[in-house]
Every structure is written in C-alpha cells, then in structure tokens.
Amino acid sequence: MENIIQSVKNFRWTTSELIVYQAIFCFVVIWCQYKWIRRNFEKVAAKMKGPRGYPFIGSSFNFIGTPEQVMKKILKLDDRFSPGPFKIWMGPYFGVIIIKPEDVQAVLNNSKALQKDRFYDFIKNIFGEGLLTAPVHKWRKHRRLITPSFNSTLLSQFFPVFNEKNKILIRNLKKELGKTTPFDLWDYIAPTTLNLICQTAMGYNLDTQSQYGSEFENAMIKASELDSLRMKSPWLYLNFMFKLYLKLKGHSDVFNTLYKLPLKMIHEKREAFAKRKILKKPDAVDVTDDERKKLKVFLDTLFELNEAGANFSDDDIKDEVVTMMIGGSETSAITISFSLLLLAIYPDIQDKVYDEIYEVFQDSDETITIEDTTKLVYLEQVLKETLRLFPVLPLVFRELQDDVKIVSDGHVLPKGTTCVISILGTHHYSELYPNPWTFNPENFNPENIANRHKYSFIAFSGGPRGCIGSKYAMLSMKVAMSTFLRNYSVQTHYTFDDIKLKLDLLLRSASGYPVNIQQRDRRPTYIRNKKL
C-alpha cells in the first residue's frame, strides 16, 4: 500500500504531455460543439442526396479551379442530382440546392427566406449594402422608397435616351463592316449599356467622358473575378488575408478605381441638385445636343427622398448608385451579346426576328416607342430564351431565418440553412424544357408559358426581392436588339457547342462573342427569298 501511495506522489506529467492532453481535450470539446450545432442540419442532410462533404471543408473541392472549370462542375452537379433538392456542405455551412419551380416559389416567397446569405458579404466591397446585398430591414426601407422610380410613366420617358444611345452604337459599328476578321460584340455593347444606365438613372452623359466608363468597366470585371475567387477560397474569407492577397497580387486599387465614376457622378449631380433647389429650376437632362427634355432620374430621386427625411447616408447613396450601374448595364450587355451571337448561329431565327421588326417599322428609320415594344413579341421570346439558356445570375443564395417547409418530399429546412436557388438548374430542367440545351424561342410562346409553372423562368429572380429593374431591362434590350437588327445582319463561325461558359459573379461567355456584320437588306425574308 505504501508503495502505491509513493508511486502516486512521484507521478509527474511532462510539459509536452500536458500540452498534448490539453490539445486533445480542446479538440474533443470543439468537435462535440461542432456536431451539436450541426445536429438539425445533419438530420435533414441524412435524408438527402448530394456530393460528399468532409468535416470543416464540406464539399469545397467541387469549386476549385478556373471560372470555366467551376462552371462545368456546377453544371455536372445540377445534372447529376437534378431535380433535387439536394444537399451541399459549403465549408461548415449546410446548403440545399433548389431546382423544382414549386420549391423555388416556396423559398423566394417566404418571409423567413428574404435574408441574403453570408456569402454576399464577400461582394459588399463592390455593392456595399445596396438593394442586392442589404440586410432585410434595410432592404425593406430602400425598396419601398426606390420602387416608384421604376413606374411605367417614368420608363416611357427613357425612350429618347434609348434611341439616341443606340444610334451612336450603330455609327460606331460601321467600322466593322466588310471585315473578315470577327470582332467581339462586348466591346461595343458594354459601353452602350453603361452609358444608358448612367444617363437614364443618373442624368450623366458618358459620351464625352468615355475614359471613365472604360475604367469603371475594367475595374468591375477585375473586381468580380477577385470576389469570385474569394468566395471559393476559404483561406481568403478573413478580411486581412484578402487584403494581403490583393496587395501581393498588385490589385490593391481595384475597388477604389471602381468607385471613381460613381463618386464623380454623385458629387456633380449633388452640386447641380443644390443649385436647382436654390434657383427653383425643374430637373432636366440633356438627351440630345439640340434640345433639353425633362426627365426624372434615379439619383435626383435619392436626393429628394433625403430632403423629405429618408436619411440616406452618403454610403447608402453610393451603394445604391453602384448597384444600379452594374445591375442596369452589365447584365443587359451580357444578355444582348449572347442574344446576337445566338441569332448569328441560327440565321433562320434571325430572319424570323427581322421579319417581325419589318412588320412594325417597314423599311423606315422611325425611332422605336414604348408602344412598338409591345408588338415585338417574337423578339421578346428570343431574349427570354437567351436568359433561360444563359441566366446572367445563375445562383441565388438565401439564409433561412426560421424553419421553412418545401414541397418536394415535405422536407423542413432548419433555420440557418443556406438555400441555393439554382436558376441555371431550373432553366435546364428537362421536364420543363424538352431538349434544354437547344436554342428554341418557341419555349416562350403563349401556349408553352401557360403549360408551365410560373416559377419555371426566374431570370430576374422572384418574390419580394426579385429584380426591381426587370421592366427597364426588357425595354432597353428590345430597343437595342431591334435597332441593331434593323441596320445590320450578324454572322459567326461559332456553333452552339463552341460557346464555353465561365462564372465570376455573373455568367459570361469564356471566349467572348465573336461575330461579323453586314449592312442589312431591309426587305423581309419572303421577298429576299422569292425566286425571280
């Protein structure tokens, strides 16, 4: 007995042993806490199919690679597990991919699913807390105040600007006539859509200051690439690590450069607004060099709301302006470029679009009106089919603020789940769209639309947080497409299979939009093809 007591008294842990045991103890505690926090998620995950997830890193390995490789992996996941819903572990966070339109509707219309997911924090260095990224309480206030800026009466006032800027586009394209080497549509379309949104929404004309537009566009593309890289790279989640990465790669000034044009516009328009207030002059914007037309612009609306007590901070105004600039230009430029490329690939469909345009305008140079756009039914089908095939924003992330039940299999998704609305998956679901990777504008004829769930097409998202500028986008794209096709026919050496996709923050063509153009023969197809 004495020997046992003596042995106990002589027992000592070395420092290294003590550290090891403490580390093991801490790991066990953390692991137990980790499993406890995830218990509700793992209970649901056990009932769902989906890619394999590993502790802490989840299924992140599925998103390693170039933007093109990431896009291919997303398409493979949607194809493998469609129509879902299916699980995906994004690091330690539980996500559910939603594809079926009834499930999409259940999420997007639920008041407990209005919060944008934590991953949107990674793009706030671009958008701040504008309508796209704002937390629910801020979004509710801003959306209510800003929505009247997009009523039909105000949209109709934009048409002189639409027509003027697209005439400039047609003039600029003349240099490409007769060339055998393809050019990239993006180089002409992107500056036009940016100029449009700056003039219609901010009352700012970029025609004489194109260098600011080019600088903004280049910074936007680089910023999108950087934020996209951050979203799929957990080691860059911490702000100080991301800033260090930017410094090491020489990109420290990208986001400051992005803000130069928005801040310049805000400063100049604020000064002009203050002068008008003093002189009691009406709002106005130069539409042409020969006349001035009264036009209510979004930026002045923000200043007026502040005067009325809305309490927008300087950062609030900047965030909404940047969100409007990118949302109103980048998305439209991508869709127009894709649409024209597809019409070049499918000349029969291009002829059908032109024949409709001819029925509306004949061979006149009459400018398009808002009433004319309602007659361009097939052109709208082409635009929607383009957005179906290549939705600019292919994924939408929502963080559930409470348990939400979805239709498929009666799953109840627990609070904290990241719901990933796969717009790309919904748009390529074969039960909704037979031959989903075929360009077929007839998918959007009235009969086919009537036979599908209304959430089968969600290019502009849906529910209360759907895109505020969807009507503006469709009108401006109709004007651009019809003006282009009234003047030029478009050809390409590309086939549909040559189109390769990439994903930064938006879905783009990895190799641009290469085409050639010819002066349009303004006769309708049936006359051109008539045998003499």
Side-chain angles (χ1 to χ4, degrees):
M1 186 65 178
E2 290 181 2
N3 291 336
I4 296 174
I5 294 173
Q6 187 63 36
S7 297
V8 172
K9 287 181 178 180
N10 292 335
F11 178 75
R12 295 288 188 275
W13 274 348
T14 65
T15 302
S16 58
E17 288 175 329
L18 185 61
I19 292 174
V20 169
Y21 287 125
Q22 286 177 334
I24 292 173
F25 177 78
C26 289
F27 177 81
V28 171
V29 170
I30 292 172
W31 179 255
C32 290
Q33 184 182 34
Y34 175 73
K35 296 294 285 185
W36 176 257
I37 292 172
R38 287 163 47 114
R39 68 192 186 283
N40 291 332
F41 302 135
E42 292 187 346
K43 184 177 179 180
V44 174
K47 302 175 184 177
M48 283 186 173
K49 58 184 179 180
R52 185 173 181 178
Y54 298 91
F56 303 111
I57 66 169
S59 305
S60 300
F61 57 88
N62 285 288
F63 306 103
I64 296 173
T66 65
E68 296 94 319
Q69 291 169 336
V70 170
M71 192 66 250
K72 288 180 181 178
K73 291 177 181 179
I74 290 173
L75 290 172
K76 284 182 179 179
L77 283 177
D78 277 353
D79 185 58
R80 179 181 174 189
F81 297 109
S82 183
F86 64 92
K87 65 185 176 185
I88 186 164
W89 290 98
M90 297 174 288
Y93 305 115
F94 177 61
V96 175
I97 310 295
I98 306 293
I99 292 177
K100 288 185 178 179
E102 55 268 32
D103 293 337
V104 171
Q105 183 179 26
V107 173
L108 292 182
N109 283 284
N110 196 300
S111 62
K112 302 301 181 182
L114 294 176
Q115 180 65 42
K116 294 297 182 78
D117 189 70
R118 57 184 64 85
F119 286 97
Y120 283 81
D121 291 342
F122 298 142
I123 62 173
K124 285 185 177 180
N125 48 19
I126 296 178
F127 298 96
E129 289 191 344
L131 287 179
L132 176 66
T133 55
V136 174
H137 70 279
K138 191 172 189 176
W139 164 79
R140 288 186 192 279
K141 173 190 172 184
H142 288 199
R143 177 86 180 211
R144 175 175 53 83
L145 293 170
I146 292 172
T147 295
S149 299
F150 290 88
N151 65 57
S152 299
T153 302
L154 289 175
L155 288 176
S156 66
Q157 296 177 24
F158 294 154
F159 270 71
V161 182
F162 289 165
N163 282 305
E164 180 65 22
K165 300 308 176 188
N166 280 290
K167 285 179 182 177
I168 294 172
L169 169 64
I170 297 306
R171 289 201 299 268
N172 291 339
L173 282 166
K174 283 185 178 180
K175 67 184 71 166
E176 301 295 344
L177 282 171
K179 293 184 179 180
T180 56
T181 303
F183 69 94
D184 192 342
L185 281 164
W186 181 262
D187 296 335
Y188 292 89
I189 303 297
T192 301
T193 57
L194 178 60
N195 203 341
L196 269 174
I197 196 64
C198 284
Q199 186 133 3
T200 55
M202 318 302 167
Y204 195 87
N205 193 339
L206 281 178
D207 284 339
T208 58
Q209 303 187 65
S210 59
Q211 72 276 13
Y212 290 106
S214 298
E215 188 178 57
F216 176 85
E217 179 62 37
N218 292 335
M220 171 59 205
I221 291 175
K222 176 54 67 175
S224 297
E225 291 172 353
L226 291 169
D227 279 350
S228 175
L229 174 66
R230 187 183 187 189
M231 290 179 72
K232 62 187 182 184
S233 306
W235 55 90
L236 296 178
Y237 284 2
L238 296 176
N239 284 331
F240 84 90
M241 288 297 294
F242 187 56
K243 289 179 180 179
L244 178 62
Y245 175 83
L246 293 178
K247 187 174 182 179
L248 292 173
K249 293 293 184 178
H251 300 314
S252 298
D253 293 332
V254 167
F255 297 99
N256 290 332
T257 302
L258 180 70
Y259 286 136
K260 280 185 181 179
L261 177 59
L263 291 175
K264 177 180 171 64
M265 288 193 299
I266 292 169
H267 174 72
E268 292 185 12
K269 294 301 292 183
R270 180 180 274 124
E271 286 188 344
F273 179 82
K275 289 178 181 178
R276 285 198 301 272
K277 183 182 174 185
I278 294 172
L279 299 174
K280 296 184 179 180
K281 290 185 177 180
D283 299 313
V285 58
D286 287 332
V287 176
T288 69
D289 293 333
D290 301 318
E291 61 182 348
R292 294 178 64 85
K293 294 188 177 182
K294 294 179 182 178
L295 178 65
K296 187 80 166 182
V297 298
F298 169 75
L299 188 50
D300 281 340
T301 298
L302 293 183
F303 295 148
E304 288 177 1
L305 288 170
N306 253 4
E307 291 288 323
N311 296 320
F312 285 115
S313 68
D314 288 347
D315 281 341
D316 288 339
I317 292 175
K318 180 201 69 176
D319 295 345
E320 297 299 354
V321 166
V322 172
T323 299
M324 193 65 63
M325 287 176 67
I326 297 172
S329 66
E330 200 81 359
T331 55
S332 293
I334 292 171
T335 303
I336 293 169
S337 297
F338 265 128
S339 295
L340 289 171
L341 179 60
L342 287 168
L343 291 182
I345 294 171
Y346 298 97
D348 290 347
I349 296 177
Q350 182 180 170
D351 286 342
K352 189 172 181 179
V353 173
Y354 177 72
D355 287 348
E356 179 183 69
I357 293 171
Y358 184 86
E359 288 179 10
V360 176
F361 300 103
Q362 301 298 308
D363 61 353
S364 73
D365 291 319
E366 182 182 350
T367 56
I368 187 171
T369 66
I370 194 168
E371 290 77 18
D372 292 329
T373 62
T374 63
K375 303 172 187 177
L376 299 174
V377 177
Y378 191 69
L379 175 58
E380 182 170 324
Q381 290 179 211
V382 166
L383 287 167
K384 287 184 175 180
E385 176 68 353
T386 302
L387 284 165
R388 181 192 71 80
L389 283 167
F390 309 121
V392 180
L393 195 65
L395 302 170
V396 172
F397 297 77
R398 297 288 178 86
E399 182 182 340
L400 301 186
Q401 303 301 294
D402 203 345
D403 293 355
V404 170
K405 186 176 182 178
I406 56 176
V407 178
S408 295
D409 302 322
H411 287 301
V412 177
L413 306 182
K415 176 181 178 180
T417 298
T418 294
C419 278
V420 183
I421 309 298
S422 178
I423 297 177
L424 198 65
T426 302
H427 286 186
H428 292 87
Y429 181 25
S430 59
E431 288 190 17
L432 301 173
Y433 302 98
N435 302 312
W437 284 101
T438 299
F439 179 56
N440 178 21
E442 292 303 323
N443 280 321
F444 290 93
N445 66 36
E447 181 180 357
N448 285 329
I449 290 176
N451 290 331
R452 288 193 303 266
H453 193 285
K454 65 179 181 179
Y455 276 73
S456 298
F457 179 72
I458 45 174
F460 298 103
S461 188
R465 290 201 80 160
C467 177
I468 194 173
S470 58
K471 289 183 179 179
Y472 173 96
M474 288 303 296
L475 287 174
S476 66
M477 289 191 295
K478 278 187 174 183
V479 175
M481 291 284 291
S482 60
T483 304
F484 186 105
L485 293 169
R486 287 169 74 182
N487 288 274
Y488 302 119
S489 61
V490 58
Q491 300 84 34
T492 186
H493 65 279
Y494 256 38
T495 66
F496 188 90
D497 291 337
D498 291 326
I499 298 176
K500 306 302 178 186
L501 303 176
K502 69 175 182 178
L503 179 63
D504 41 49
L505 298 184
L506 303 175
L507 184 65
R508 307 173 189 269
S509 169
S511 52
Y513 312 86
V515 300
N516 297 98
I517 58 171
Q518 294 180 0
Q519 198 72 45
R520 168 66 67 183
D521 181 342
R522 292 199 171 188
R523 295 173 299 170
T525 304
Y526 73 90
I527 292 179
R528 280 183 277 136
N529 293 341
K530 186 177 180 181
K531 293 183 179 179
L532 298 177

